[in-house]
Amino acid sequence: MRKLLAGGVAMLIAGGAWAASVQEVGERYMKLVLAVGRHDASYVDAYYGPAQLQEQVAKEKLSLAAIRAEAEAALHSLPALPAPAGAGIDADEQLRITFLGKQLQSMLMRIDMLGGKKFSFDEETATMYNAVAPRHERGYYLELQDRIGKLLGGEGPLAERVKAFRARVEIPKDKLRPVMEAAIGACRERTEKYIPLPAKESFVLEFVQNQPWSGYNWYKGNAHSLIQINTEFPIYIDRAVDLGCHEGYPGHHVYNALLEQTLVKGKNWQEFSVYPLYSPMSLVAEGSANYGILMAFTPAERLAFERDVLYPLAGLDPSLAEKYAGLTQLFGKLAYADNDAARSYLDGKATRAQTVEWLVNVLLYPPEKAEQRIRFYDANRGYVINYTVGADMVGDYVKRHATASDPEAARVQRWAAFRQLLSSPRLADSLRQ
């Protein structure tokens, strides 16, 4: 009996030391993310941890070489997986180890890139986001374009016909706020039905211009976000639900709020109070935000909401809703053309002019919007795969957990899996399992 007791105590001590080691690496990781942010203004997407840590980082002024050395040391300090048998380490704690390891590996690559080292598109995404996008040639998208052309009807270049139809569903500038607020409100109502939101969660909605993105969520901590919508280019009626779900509910706002509630406050895992944009975390963040649109609305529910609520609110013709919904679903299937354009452009296999042509004639972007997209490639490089590969991986993960034959029961199971994902340290590898 004494031997068993002694062995149990020893195991508890080992488990406690193991957990303390992880906590220490998490604290070092926080500081290093902020330190990289001093060299890369876009790197720190959100931080709501202690202000004194920011002050310490500003005072230390670590060089990239010093940050790299500390990041390597932190990576090597992580306890090996799997955890010791019987150590009392739960599955989330082991996911935490994997999370910190992948995040630190991506940090090392980002530091190398800031120092001038070059990587191919696929090399970058494999380490930075823990995933590689599939490749498609132009011919892959022709069948989708034929279907879009048949649905649209008419004559002339397909891109021009798409542009002309979209002009009929553009939200007037003076209607943007009420339409966006109605869309975000519906996204929130549908999310709250399945995910209890933190008390006093909130957001502020702003309209901006001259950005390389169409919408952005700036998470501020304490379940509060600033959501910005770029009005530089026309905003079409489908973007109201897209942006409302993606930036708000159950997208970025909910993801960050649940991480804060569950991990930062619930488990004291302070490393989740900092979010490095160029890291594997973004594949889950963008993937869940994009797939969250399908979580909130089935295609039929979305069509009814847009036709009966948003079209009248925007002063648009509701009779266009069904046709445009069909078009947007086909446009969604073209999404991987964005990855193919970015890869060719960033790997130097396509010029800027050739990339604009691809975006206009394959992805069916307006020419001026294509130029904005290239600015996004220049600024964010391989980040683009997170919207497509990320959404598919999140969708596959959620669907695997929906085993009920009853549709509503399966929906409840999907939401439960989605909520668990948003509240845990899961990255791409754990989504594949």
Side-chain angles (χ1 to χ4, degrees):
M1 184 66 159
R2 267 190 208 136
K3 284 186 180 177
L4 288 173
L5 183 58
V9 171
M11 193 60 71
L12 285 173
I13 292 171
W18 192 89
S21 174
V22 179
Q23 189 75 2
E24 191 269 337
V25 173
E27 291 169 2
R28 291 163 69 185
Y29 160 83
M30 285 175 66
K31 186 189 85 167
L32 292 170
V33 172
L34 295 177
V36 175
R38 292 190 65 256
H39 297 270
D40 179 357
S42 301
Y43 188 67
V44 181
D45 189 74
Y47 178 68
Y48 50 90
Q52 56 266 36
L53 184 57
Q54 288 178 307
E55 295 165 3
Q56 178 188 343
V57 168
K59 182 182 291 187
E60 288 180 353
K61 298 180 181 178
L62 292 177
S63 66
L64 284 174
I67 299 168
R68 197 185 198 291
E70 287 202 26
E72 282 190 318
L75 184 60
H76 293 143
S77 297
L78 280 171
L81 288 176
I89 306 301
D90 65 18
D92 270 1
E93 188 82 30
Q94 299 199 53
L95 285 173
R96 183 190 187 191
I97 284 286
T98 302
F99 174 90
L100 284 168
K102 295 291 186 184
Q103 293 289 107
L104 285 165
Q105 288 168 357
S106 74
M107 180 187 294
L108 291 171
M109 173 175 272
R110 188 65 183 176
I111 291 169
D112 288 344
M113 292 170 69
L114 292 172
K117 190 170 182 179
K118 304 295 183 184
F119 298 93
S120 72
F121 185 88
D122 288 345
E123 287 172 338
E124 176 190 332
T125 65
T127 297
M128 196 73 72
Y129 307 113
N130 200 206
V132 174
R135 292 173 178 266
H136 301 296
E137 300 300 327
R138 195 180 188 111
Y140 174 83
Y141 301 104
L142 293 180
E143 187 269 338
L144 283 171
Q145 291 190 334
D146 287 344
R147 291 167 64 186
I148 291 171
K150 288 175 183 175
L151 184 56
L152 273 176
E155 301 291 335
L158 182 57
E160 291 299 318
R161 284 185 281 154
V162 168
K163 183 177 180 179
F165 188 87
R166 278 179 164 157
R168 301 171 67 188
V169 293
E170 178 184 347
I171 305 173
K173 291 281 197 258
D174 64 336
K175 303 290 188 182
L176 270 175
R177 181 168 290 278
V179 169
M180 282 305 310
E181 287 178 346
I184 295 174
C187 296
R188 185 187 188 281
E189 180 181 358
R190 289 168 174 274
T191 299
E192 194 174 30
K193 182 178 178 182
Y194 298 97
I195 297 180
L197 299 173
K200 298 183 180 179
E201 60 82 22
S202 63
F203 69 91
V204 170
L205 178 65
E206 286 186 355
F207 296 97
V208 299
Q209 291 196 340
N210 301 317
Q211 299 294 339
W213 37 257
S214 55
Y216 212 103
N217 178 294
W218 303 97
Y219 191 70
K220 304 298 184 180
N222 289 319
H224 179 70
S225 290
L226 168 63
I227 296 175
Q228 292 184 326
I229 307 299
N230 187 2
T231 62
E232 182 178 358
F233 299 110
I235 299 177
Y236 306 113
I237 194 67
D238 61 303
R239 295 297 287 154
V241 166
D242 283 352
L243 291 167
C245 288
H246 184 102
E247 307 299 344
Y249 308 84
H252 292 319
H253 175 66
V254 174
Y255 176 57
N256 284 296
L258 290 184
L259 287 181
E260 180 182 20
Q261 180 185 56
T262 307
L263 303 184
V264 178
K265 295 181 177 179
K267 294 179 177 285
N268 194 33
W269 293 358
Q270 292 300 311
E271 66 267 25
F272 287 90
S273 65
V274 64
Y275 172 19
L277 187 66
Y278 306 114
S279 73
M281 195 175 177
S282 283
L283 182 131
V284 176
E286 299 295 359
S288 61
N290 260 9
Y291 192 73
I293 302 166
L294 292 172
M295 292 294 300
F297 292 88
T298 66
E301 290 168 345
R302 177 170 178 171
L303 170 59
F305 173 68
E306 289 177 339
R307 180 193 62 222
D308 300 340
V309 178
L310 297 188
Y311 273 77
L313 196 56
L316 301 176
D317 181 1
S319 69
L320 299 173
E322 186 169 357
K323 184 174 184 178
Y324 190 51
L327 282 173
T328 55
Q329 288 178 41
L330 290 174
F331 293 148
K333 296 178 185 297
L334 284 174
Y336 272 97
D338 186 41
N339 296 172
D340 293 318
R343 180 190 284 112
S344 294
Y345 172 69
L346 294 169
D347 282 348
K349 295 179 180 178
T351 66
R352 191 180 192 91
Q354 289 170 330
T355 307
V356 167
E357 188 278 331
W358 173 281
L359 290 171
V360 170
N361 293 315
V362 177
L363 204 50
L364 303 175
Y365 267 43
E368 64 277 10
K369 188 77 171 174
E371 287 288 350
Q372 182 203 40
R373 194 59 180 165
I374 291 179
R375 296 204 309 271
F376 188 92
Y377 298 160
D378 287 334
N380 299 291
R381 296 188 52 83
Y383 193 91
V384 295
I385 77 157
N386 296 323
Y387 301 98
T388 48
V389 178
D392 285 347
M393 292 183 72
V394 168
D396 289 344
Y397 173 84
V398 167
K399 290 170 191 172
R400 287 200 304 273
H401 289 78
T403 57
S405 56
D406 176 72
E408 182 54 32
R411 189 170 193 169
V412 170
Q413 289 176 332
R414 286 194 298 274
W415 274 103
F418 193 74
R419 177 188 177 187
Q420 180 190 47
L421 170 61
L422 299 187
S423 307
S424 72
R426 282 173 174 77
L427 297 176
D429 280 346
S430 61
L431 294 183
R432 296 183 180 104
Q433 297 169 2

